[in-house]
Coordinates of all heavy atoms in Angstrom, one line a residue:
M23 N -25.2 -36.8 -1.5 CA -25.8 -36.1 -0.4 C -26.0 -34.6 -0.6 O -27.1 -34.1 -0.1 CB -24.8 -36.2 0.8 CG -24.7 -37.7 1.3 SD -23.5 -37.7 2.7 CE -24.5 -37.2 4.1
L24 N -25.3 -34.0 -1.4 CA -25.5 -32.6 -1.8 C -26.8 -32.5 -2.5 O -27.5 -31.4 -2.3 CB -24.3 -32.0 -2.5 CG -24.4 -30.5 -2.8 CD1 -24.6 -29.7 -1.5 CD2 -23.1 -30.1 -3.5
K25 N -27.1 -33.4 -3.4 CA -28.3 -33.3 -4.3 C -29.5 -33.3 -3.3 O -30.5 -32.6 -3.5 CB -28.3 -34.4 -5.3 CG -27.4 -34.1 -6.5 CD -27.7 -35.0 -7.6 CE -26.9 -36.3 -7.4 NZ -26.9 -37.3 -8.5
E26 N -29.4 -34.3 -2.4 CA -30.4 -34.5 -1.4 C -30.7 -33.3 -0.7 O -31.9 -32.8 -0.4 CB -30.1 -35.7 -0.4 CG -31.2 -36.8 -0.5 CD -30.6 -37.8 0.4 OE1 -31.0 -37.8 1.7 OE2 -29.9 -38.8 0.0
F27 N -29.6 -32.6 -0.2 CA -29.7 -31.4 0.6 C -30.4 -30.2 -0.2 O -31.2 -29.6 0.3 CB -28.3 -30.9 1.1 CG -28.3 -29.5 1.6 CD1 -28.7 -29.3 2.9 CD2 -27.9 -28.5 0.8 CE1 -28.7 -28.0 3.4 CE2 -27.9 -27.2 1.3 CZ -28.4 -27.0 2.7
I28 N -30.1 -30.2 -1.5 CA -30.7 -29.1 -2.3 C -32.1 -29.3 -2.4 O -32.9 -28.3 -2.1 CB -30.0 -29.2 -3.7 CG1 -28.5 -28.6 -3.6 CG2 -30.7 -28.2 -4.7 CD1 -27.7 -28.7 -4.9
F29 N -32.6 -30.5 -2.6 CA -34.1 -30.7 -2.7 C -34.7 -30.4 -1.4 O -35.7 -29.8 -1.3 CB -34.3 -32.0 -3.3 CG -34.2 -32.2 -4.8 CD1 -33.2 -33.0 -5.2 CD2 -34.9 -31.4 -5.7 CE1 -32.9 -33.1 -6.7 CE2 -34.6 -31.5 -7.0 CZ -33.6 -32.3 -7.4
L30 N -34.2 -30.9 -0.3 CA -34.7 -30.7 1.1 C -34.7 -29.3 1.4 O -35.7 -28.8 2.0 CB -33.9 -31.6 2.1 CG -34.2 -33.1 2.0 CD1 -33.2 -33.7 3.0 CD2 -35.6 -33.4 2.4
Y31 N -33.7 -28.6 1.0 CA -33.6 -27.2 1.4 C -34.7 -26.3 0.7 O -35.5 -25.6 1.3 CB -32.2 -26.6 1.0 CG -32.1 -25.1 1.1 CD1 -31.7 -24.6 2.3 CD2 -32.2 -24.2 0.1 CE1 -31.5 -23.3 2.6 CE2 -32.1 -22.9 0.3 CZ -31.8 -22.5 1.5 OH -31.6 -21.0 1.7
F32 N -34.9 -26.7 -0.6 CA -36.0 -25.9 -1.2 C -37.4 -26.4 -0.8 O -38.4 -25.6 -1.0 CB -35.8 -26.1 -2.9 CG -34.8 -25.0 -3.3 CD1 -33.5 -25.6 -3.7 CD2 -35.0 -23.7 -3.4 CE1 -32.7 -24.7 -4.2 CE2 -34.0 -22.8 -3.8 CZ -32.8 -23.3 -4.3
D33 N -37.5 -27.5 -0.3 CA -38.8 -28.1 0.1 C -39.1 -27.3 1.4 O -40.4 -26.9 1.7 CB -38.9 -29.5 0.5 CG -38.9 -30.5 -0.7 OD1 -39.3 -29.9 -1.8 OD2 -38.6 -31.7 -0.7
S34 N -38.2 -27.0 2.2 CA -38.3 -26.2 3.5 C -38.3 -24.7 3.3 O -38.9 -24.0 4.1 CB -37.3 -26.6 4.6 OG -37.2 -27.9 4.7
N35 N -37.6 -24.2 2.2 CA -37.6 -22.8 1.9 C -37.8 -22.5 0.5 O -37.0 -22.2 -0.3 CB -36.2 -22.3 2.3 CG -35.6 -22.8 3.7 OD1 -36.2 -22.1 4.6 ND2 -34.8 -23.8 3.7
P36 N -39.1 -22.6 0.1 CA -39.4 -22.6 -1.3 C -39.1 -21.2 -2.0 O -39.0 -21.2 -3.3 CB -40.9 -22.8 -1.3 CG -41.4 -22.5 0.0 CD -40.2 -22.8 1.0
I37 N -39.1 -20.2 -1.2 CA -38.7 -18.8 -2.0 C -37.2 -18.4 -1.8 O -36.8 -17.3 -2.2 CB -39.6 -17.7 -1.5 CG1 -39.5 -17.5 0.0 CG2 -41.1 -18.0 -1.8 CD1 -40.2 -16.2 0.5
S38 N -36.4 -19.3 -1.3 CA -35.0 -19.0 -1.2 C -34.2 -19.2 -2.5 O -34.8 -19.8 -3.4 CB -34.5 -19.9 0.0 OG -35.0 -19.6 1.2
Q39 N -33.0 -18.8 -2.4 CA -32.0 -19.0 -3.5 C -30.7 -19.5 -2.9 O -30.3 -19.2 -1.9 CB -31.8 -17.7 -4.2 CG -33.0 -17.2 -4.8 CD -32.6 -16.0 -5.7 OE1 -31.5 -15.5 -5.6 NE2 -33.6 -15.4 -6.4
I40 N -30.0 -20.4 -3.7 CA -28.7 -20.9 -3.3 C -27.8 -20.7 -4.5 O -28.2 -20.7 -5.6 CB -28.6 -22.3 -2.7 CG1 -29.1 -23.2 -3.7 CG2 -29.4 -22.3 -1.4 CD1 -28.9 -24.7 -3.3
G41 N -26.5 -20.6 -4.3 CA -25.5 -20.7 -5.4 C -24.5 -21.7 -4.9 O -24.4 -21.9 -3.6
I42 N -23.7 -22.3 -5.9 CA -22.7 -23.2 -5.4 C -21.3 -22.9 -5.9 O -21.1 -22.5 -7.0 CB -23.1 -24.6 -6.1 CG1 -24.5 -25.1 -5.6 CG2 -21.9 -25.7 -5.7 CD1 -24.9 -26.3 -6.3
L43 N -20.4 -22.9 -5.0 CA -19.0 -22.6 -5.1 C -18.2 -23.8 -4.8 O -18.6 -24.6 -3.9 CB -18.5 -21.5 -4.3 CG -19.2 -20.1 -4.4 CD1 -18.6 -19.2 -3.2 CD2 -19.0 -19.5 -5.6
I44 N -17.2 -24.1 -5.6 CA -16.2 -25.1 -5.2 C -14.9 -24.6 -5.1 O -14.6 -23.5 -5.7 CB -16.3 -26.4 -6.1 CG1 -15.9 -26.1 -7.5 CG2 -17.6 -27.0 -6.1 CD1 -15.6 -27.2 -8.4
T45 N -14.0 -25.3 -4.3 CA -12.6 -24.8 -4.2 C -11.7 -26.0 -4.6 O -12.0 -27.2 -4.3 CB -12.2 -24.4 -2.8 OG1 -12.3 -25.5 -2.0 CG2 -13.2 -23.2 -2.4
R46 N -10.7 -25.7 -5.4 CA -9.6 -26.6 -5.7 C -8.4 -25.8 -6.2 O -8.5 -24.7 -6.7 CB -10.0 -27.7 -6.7 CG -10.5 -27.1 -8.1 CD -10.8 -28.3 -9.0 NE -11.8 -27.8 -9.9 CZ -12.6 -28.6 -10.6 NH1 -12.4 -29.9 -10.5 NH2 -13.6 -28.2 -11.4
K47 N -7.2 -26.5 -5.9 CA -6.0 -25.8 -6.2 C -6.0 -24.4 -5.7 O -5.6 -23.3 -6.4 CB -5.8 -25.7 -7.7 CG -5.7 -27.1 -8.4 CD -5.4 -27.0 -9.9 CE -5.3 -28.2 -10.5 NZ -5.3 -28.2 -11.9
K48 N -6.4 -24.1 -4.4 CA -6.5 -22.8 -3.8 C -7.3 -21.8 -4.5 O -7.2 -20.6 -4.3 CB -5.1 -22.3 -3.5 CG -4.3 -23.2 -2.5 CD -2.9 -22.6 -2.2 CE -2.2 -23.4 -1.3 NZ -0.9 -22.9 -1.0
R49 N -8.2 -22.2 -5.4 CA -9.0 -21.2 -6.2 C -10.5 -21.7 -6.0 O -10.7 -22.7 -5.7 CB -8.6 -21.3 -7.7 CG -7.3 -20.9 -8.0 CD -6.9 -20.8 -9.4 NE -5.5 -20.3 -9.6 CZ -5.2 -19.2 -10.3 NH1 -6.2 -18.5 -10.8 NH2 -4.0 -18.9 -10.4
V50 N -11.3 -20.6 -6.4 CA -12.7 -20.9 -6.2 C -13.4 -20.8 -7.6 O -13.0 -20.0 -8.4 CB -13.3 -19.7 -5.3 CG1 -14.8 -19.9 -5.2 CG2 -12.6 -19.6 -3.9
E51 N -14.2 -21.7 -7.8 CA -15.0 -21.8 -9.0 C -16.5 -21.6 -8.7 O -17.0 -22.5 -7.9 CB -14.7 -23.1 -9.8 CG -13.4 -23.2 -10.3 CD -13.2 -24.7 -10.9 OE1 -14.2 -25.0 -11.6 OE2 -12.2 -25.2 -10.6
K52 N -17.2 -20.6 -9.4 CA -18.5 -20.5 -9.2 C -19.3 -21.6 -10.1 O -19.2 -21.5 -11.3 CB -18.9 -19.2 -9.5 CG -20.5 -18.8 -9.0 CD -20.8 -17.4 -9.3 CE -20.0 -16.4 -8.6 NZ -20.4 -14.9 -8.8
I53 N -19.9 -22.4 -9.5 CA -20.6 -23.5 -10.3 C -22.1 -23.1 -10.7 O -22.4 -23.2 -11.9 CB -20.8 -24.9 -9.5 CG1 -19.4 -25.4 -9.1 CG2 -21.6 -26.0 -10.2 CD1 -18.4 -25.7 -10.2
S54 N -22.7 -22.5 -9.8 CA -24.0 -21.9 -10.1 C -24.4 -20.6 -9.4 O -23.9 -20.5 -8.3 CB -25.2 -22.9 -9.8 OG -25.2 -23.1 -8.4
E55 N -24.9 -19.7 -10.1 CA -25.3 -18.4 -9.6 C -26.5 -18.6 -8.7 O -27.1 -19.6 -8.5 CB -25.7 -17.5 -10.8 CG -24.7 -17.2 -11.7 CD -23.7 -16.2 -11.2 OE1 -24.0 -15.4 -10.1 OE2 -22.6 -16.2 -11.7
L56 N -26.8 -17.6 -7.9 CA -27.9 -17.7 -6.9 C -29.2 -17.8 -7.8 O -29.5 -17.0 -8.8 CB -28.0 -16.3 -6.1 CG -27.0 -16.1 -5.0 CD1 -27.1 -14.7 -4.4 CD2 -27.2 -17.1 -4.0
A57 N -29.8 -18.9 -7.4 CA -31.0 -19.1 -8.1 C -32.0 -20.0 -7.4 O -31.6 -20.6 -6.3 CB -30.8 -19.9 -9.4
G58 N -33.3 -20.0 -7.6 CA -34.2 -20.8 -6.8 C -34.8 -22.0 -7.5 O -35.8 -22.5 -7.2
N59 N -34.1 -22.6 -8.4 CA -34.5 -23.7 -9.1 C -33.6 -24.9 -8.8 O -32.4 -25.0 -9.3 CB -34.4 -23.6 -10.7 CG -34.9 -24.7 -11.5 OD1 -35.2 -25.8 -10.9 ND2 -35.0 -24.5 -12.8
P60 N -34.0 -25.8 -8.0 CA -33.1 -26.9 -7.6 C -32.7 -27.9 -8.7 O -31.6 -28.3 -8.6 CB -34.0 -27.7 -6.5 CG -35.4 -27.3 -6.7 CD -35.3 -25.9 -7.4
R61 N -33.6 -28.0 -9.7 CA -33.1 -28.9 -10.8 C -31.9 -28.3 -11.6 O -31.1 -29.1 -12.0 CB -34.4 -29.2 -11.7 CG -35.3 -30.1 -11.0 CD -36.4 -30.3 -12.1 NE -37.3 -31.4 -11.5 CZ -38.3 -31.2 -10.6 NH1 -38.4 -30.0 -10.0 NH2 -39.0 -32.2 -10.2
S62 N -31.8 -27.1 -11.7 CA -30.7 -26.5 -12.4 C -29.4 -26.6 -11.5 O -28.4 -27.0 -12.1 CB -30.9 -25.0 -12.7 OG -30.9 -24.3 -11.5
H63 N -29.5 -26.5 -10.3 CA -28.3 -26.8 -9.4 C -27.8 -28.3 -9.5 O -26.6 -28.5 -9.7 CB -28.6 -26.5 -8.0 CG -28.8 -24.9 -7.8 ND1 -27.9 -24.0 -8.0 CD2 -29.9 -24.2 -7.3 CE1 -28.3 -22.8 -7.8 NE2 -29.6 -22.9 -7.3
V64 N -28.8 -29.2 -9.4 CA -28.5 -30.5 -9.5 C -27.9 -30.9 -10.9 O -26.9 -31.7 -11.0 CB -29.6 -31.4 -9.2 CG1 -29.4 -32.8 -9.4 CG2 -30.1 -31.1 -7.6
A65 N -28.4 -30.3 -11.9 CA -27.9 -30.6 -13.2 C -26.4 -30.1 -13.4 O -25.6 -30.9 -14.0 CB -28.8 -29.9 -14.4
L66 N -26.1 -28.9 -12.8 CA -24.8 -28.5 -12.8 C -23.8 -29.4 -12.0 O -22.7 -29.6 -12.3 CB -24.7 -27.0 -12.3 CG -25.3 -26.1 -13.3 CD1 -25.5 -24.8 -12.7 CD2 -24.5 -25.9 -14.6
L67 N -24.3 -29.9 -10.8 CA -23.6 -30.9 -10.0 C -23.3 -32.1 -10.8 O -22.2 -32.6 -10.6 CB -24.3 -31.1 -8.7 CG -24.3 -30.0 -7.7 CD1 -25.1 -30.4 -6.6 CD2 -22.9 -29.8 -7.2
E68 N -24.2 -32.6 -11.6 CA -24.1 -33.8 -12.3 C -22.8 -33.6 -13.3 O -22.1 -34.6 -13.5 CB -25.3 -34.1 -13.1 CG -26.4 -34.7 -12.3 CD -26.1 -36.0 -11.8 OE1 -25.4 -36.9 -12.4 OE2 -26.5 -36.4 -10.6
Q69 N -22.6 -32.4 -13.8 CA -21.5 -32.2 -14.7 C -20.0 -32.4 -14.0 O -19.1 -32.7 -14.6 CB -21.5 -30.8 -15.3 CG -22.7 -30.7 -16.2 CD -22.9 -29.2 -16.7 OE1 -22.1 -28.4 -16.6 NE2 -24.0 -29.0 -17.5
L70 N -20.1 -32.2 -12.7 CA -18.9 -32.3 -11.9 C -18.6 -33.6 -11.4 O -17.5 -33.9 -10.9 CB -19.0 -31.4 -10.7 CG -19.1 -30.0 -10.8 CD1 -19.3 -29.2 -9.5 CD2 -17.9 -29.4 -11.5
K71 N -19.5 -34.6 -11.6 CA -19.4 -36.0 -11.2 C -18.0 -36.6 -11.4 O -17.5 -37.3 -10.6 CB -20.5 -36.8 -11.5 CG -20.7 -38.1 -10.9 CD -21.7 -39.1 -11.4 CE -23.0 -38.6 -11.3 NZ -24.1 -39.4 -11.8
Y72 N -17.6 -36.4 -12.6 CA -16.3 -37.2 -13.1 C -15.1 -36.3 -13.1 O -14.0 -36.8 -13.5 CB -16.5 -37.7 -14.6 CG -17.8 -38.5 -14.5 CD1 -19.0 -38.2 -15.1 CD2 -17.7 -39.8 -14.0 CE1 -20.1 -39.0 -15.1 CE2 -18.8 -40.7 -13.9 CZ -19.9 -40.3 -14.5 OH -21.0 -41.2 -14.6
Q73 N -15.2 -35.1 -12.5 CA -14.0 -34.4 -12.3 C -13.3 -34.6 -11.0 O -13.9 -35.0 -10.0 CB -14.4 -32.8 -12.3 CG -14.8 -32.3 -13.6 CD -15.1 -30.8 -13.6 OE1 -14.5 -30.1 -12.8 NE2 -15.9 -30.3 -14.6
E74 N -12.0 -34.6 -10.9 CA -11.3 -34.9 -9.8 C -11.1 -33.8 -8.9 O -11.0 -32.6 -9.3 CB -9.8 -35.5 -10.2 CG -9.8 -36.7 -10.9 CD -8.4 -37.2 -11.2 OE1 -7.5 -36.8 -10.4 OE2 -8.2 -37.9 -12.2
C75 N -11.1 -34.1 -7.6 CA -10.8 -33.0 -6.6 C -9.3 -33.1 -6.4 O -8.7 -34.1 -6.3 CB -11.4 -33.3 -5.2 SG -13.2 -33.4 -5.3
E76 N -8.7 -31.8 -6.6 CA -7.3 -31.9 -6.6 C -6.8 -30.5 -5.9 O -7.4 -29.5 -6.0 CB -6.6 -32.0 -8.0 CG -7.2 -31.1 -8.9 CD -6.7 -31.5 -10.4 OE1 -5.6 -32.1 -10.5 OE2 -7.4 -31.0 -11.3
G77 N -5.6 -30.6 -5.2 CA -5.0 -29.3 -4.8 C -5.6 -29.1 -3.3 O -6.5 -29.8 -2.8
E78 N -5.2 -28.0 -2.8 CA -5.7 -27.6 -1.5 C -6.9 -26.7 -1.6 O -7.2 -26.1 -2.6 CB -4.5 -26.8 -0.8 CG -3.3 -27.7 -0.5 CD -2.3 -26.9 0.2 OE1 -2.5 -25.8 0.8 OE2 -1.1 -27.3 0.1
T79 N -7.6 -26.8 -0.5 CA -8.8 -25.9 -0.4 C -8.5 -24.6 0.2 O -7.6 -24.4 1.0 CB -9.8 -26.7 0.5 OG1 -10.0 -27.8 0.0 CG2 -11.1 -25.7 0.7
S80 N -9.3 -23.5 -0.2 CA -9.0 -22.2 0.4 C -10.4 -21.6 0.8 O -11.1 -21.1 0.0 CB -8.4 -21.2 -0.6 OG -8.4 -19.8 -0.1
I81 N -10.6 -21.9 2.2 CA -11.9 -21.3 2.7 C -12.0 -19.9 2.6 O -13.1 -19.3 2.3 CB -12.2 -22.0 4.1 CG1 -12.2 -23.4 4.0 CG2 -13.4 -21.4 4.7 CD1 -12.3 -24.2 5.4
Q82 N -10.9 -19.3 2.9 CA -11.0 -17.8 2.7 C -11.3 -17.3 1.4 O -12.1 -16.4 1.3 CB -9.6 -17.3 3.1 CG -9.5 -15.6 3.2 CD -8.2 -15.1 3.6 OE1 -7.4 -15.9 4.0 NE2 -8.1 -13.8 3.4
N83 N -10.8 -17.8 0.4 CA -11.1 -17.4 -1.0 C -12.6 -17.8 -1.3 O -13.3 -16.9 -1.9 CB -10.2 -18.2 -2.0 CG -8.8 -17.6 -2.1 OD1 -8.5 -16.6 -1.5 ND2 -8.0 -18.3 -2.6
A84 N -13.0 -18.9 -0.9 CA -14.5 -19.2 -1.0 C -15.3 -18.2 -0.3 O -16.4 -17.7 -0.9 CB -14.8 -20.6 -0.6
L85 N -15.1 -17.8 0.9 CA -15.9 -16.9 1.7 C -15.9 -15.5 1.0 O -16.9 -14.7 1.0 CB -15.4 -16.8 3.1 CG -15.7 -18.1 4.0 CD1 -15.1 -18.0 5.3 CD2 -17.2 -18.3 4.2
E86 N -14.6 -15.1 0.5 CA -14.5 -13.9 -0.2 C -15.4 -13.7 -1.4 O -16.1 -12.7 -1.6 CB -13.2 -13.5 -0.5 CG -12.3 -13.1 0.8 CD -10.9 -12.9 0.5 OE1 -10.5 -13.0 -0.6 OE2 -10.2 -12.6 1.6
V87 N -15.4 -14.8 -2.2 CA -16.1 -14.8 -3.5 C -17.7 -14.8 -3.1 O -18.4 -14.1 -3.8 CB -15.8 -16.0 -4.4 CG1 -16.8 -16.3 -5.5 CG2 -14.4 -15.9 -4.9
G88 N -18.1 -15.6 -2.1 CA -19.4 -15.6 -1.7 C -20.0 -14.3 -1.3 O -21.0 -13.8 -1.6
L89 N -19.1 -13.6 -0.5 CA -19.4 -12.4 0.1 C -19.5 -11.3 -1.1 O -20.5 -10.5 -1.1 CB -18.4 -11.8 1.1 CG -18.7 -10.5 1.7 CD1 -19.9 -10.5 2.5 CD2 -17.5 -10.1 2.7
Q90 N -18.7 -11.4 -2.1 CA -18.7 -10.4 -3.2 C -20.0 -10.7 -4.0 O -20.7 -9.8 -4.4 CB -17.5 -10.7 -4.2 CG -16.1 -10.2 -3.5 CD -15.0 -10.5 -4.5 OE1 -15.1 -11.2 -5.5 NE2 -13.8 -10.1 -4.1
T91 N -20.3 -11.9 -4.1 CA -21.6 -12.3 -4.8 C -22.8 -11.8 -4.1 O -23.7 -11.1 -4.8 CB -21.8 -13.8 -5.1 OG1 -20.5 -14.3 -5.7 CG2 -22.9 -14.2 -5.8
L92 N -22.9 -11.9 -2.9 CA -24.0 -11.4 -2.1 C -24.1 -9.9 -2.1 O -25.1 -9.3 -2.3 CB -24.0 -12.0 -0.7 CG -24.2 -13.4 -0.5 CD1 -23.9 -13.8 1.0 CD2 -25.6 -13.8 -0.9
K93 N -22.9 -9.3 -2.1 CA -22.9 -7.8 -2.1 C -23.5 -7.3 -3.4 O -24.2 -6.3 -3.5 CB -21.5 -7.3 -1.9 CG -21.0 -7.2 -0.5 CD -19.7 -6.7 -0.4 CE -19.1 -6.6 1.0 NZ -17.7 -6.0 1.0
Y94 N -23.1 -8.0 -4.5 CA -23.5 -7.6 -5.8 C -25.1 -7.7 -6.0 O -25.7 -6.8 -6.5 CB -22.9 -8.5 -6.9 CG -23.5 -8.3 -8.3 CD1 -23.1 -7.3 -9.0 CD2 -24.4 -9.2 -8.8 CE1 -23.6 -7.0 -10.3 CE2 -24.9 -9.1 -10.0 CZ -24.6 -8.0 -10.9 OH -25.1 -7.8 -12.0
Y95 N -25.6 -8.8 -5.5 CA -27.1 -9.0 -5.4 C -27.9 -8.1 -4.6 O -29.0 -7.6 -4.9 CB -27.4 -10.5 -5.1 CG -27.2 -11.4 -6.3 CD1 -26.1 -12.2 -6.4 CD2 -28.1 -11.4 -7.3 CE1 -25.9 -13.0 -7.4 CE2 -27.9 -12.2 -8.4 CZ -26.8 -13.0 -8.5 OH -26.6 -13.7 -9.6
F96 N -27.3 -7.7 -3.5 CA -28.0 -6.8 -2.5 C -27.9 -5.4 -3.0 O -28.7 -4.5 -2.8 CB -27.4 -6.9 -1.1 CG -27.9 -8.1 -0.4 CD1 -27.2 -9.1 0.0 CD2 -29.3 -8.2 -0.2 CE1 -27.7 -10.3 0.6 CE2 -29.8 -9.3 0.4 CZ -29.0 -10.4 0.8
Q97 N -26.8 -4.9 -3.8 CA -26.7 -3.7 -4.3 C -27.7 -3.3 -5.5 O -28.1 -2.3 -5.7 CB -25.2 -3.4 -4.8 CG -24.4 -3.2 -3.6 CD -23.0 -3.0 -4.1 OE1 -22.6 -3.2 -5.2 NE2 -22.0 -2.8 -3.1
N98 N -28.0 -4.4 -6.2 CA -28.9 -4.3 -7.4 C -30.2 -4.4 -7.0 O -31.0 -4.8 -6.5 CB -28.5 -5.3 -8.6 CG -27.2 -4.9 -9.0 OD1 -26.8 -3.7 -9.2 ND2 -26.3 -5.8 -9.4

């Protein structure tokens, strides 16, 4: 479903960018940087297909990392 969302998102918003974060074991991992190429995001998601989801989620940590990333891009 996420792959479908990515392609639909870029069809509707062709000049937009997205980045992908995942949370596991109360930690955040940045899967992809902000970019406008849907195929690169989907390729990175494919690499996660066989990894297990484990541990607890930390929405607060994910939001903080996302905010730090956006601040970095808007400052530069």
Side-chain angles (χ1 to χ4, degrees):
M23 292 178 79
L24 185 55
K25 288 191 270 185
E26 242 180 87
F27 169 79
I28 290 171
F29 285 117
L30 289 172
Y31 178 82
F32 282 108
D33 282 344
S34 300
N35 307 287
I37 62 171
S38 294
Q39 296 184 354
I40 62 172
I42 300 173
L43 301 172
I44 63 169
T45 63
R46 61 177 149 198
K47 298 180 183 178
K48 296 184 181 180
R49 294 183 181 240
V50 179
E51 295 177 41
K52 194 180 296 186
I53 301 304
S54 65
E55 295 286 339
L56 285 174
N59 183 352
R61 285 182 173 76
S62 67
H63 293 297
V64 170
L66 291 168
L67 285 176
E68 285 293 326
Q69 295 175 5
L70 295 175
K71 189 187 299 188
Y72 300 107
Q73 292 185 17
E74 293 184 25
C75 296
E76 51 190 339
E78 296 181 19
T79 303
S80 175
I81 294 174
Q82 180 177 352
N83 287 346
L85 291 172
E86 288 175 1
V87 170
L89 183 60
Q90 289 172 356
T91 301
L92 290 174
K93 282 182 180 179
Y94 173 78
Y95 280 100
F96 282 115
Q97 288 176 354
N98 292 329

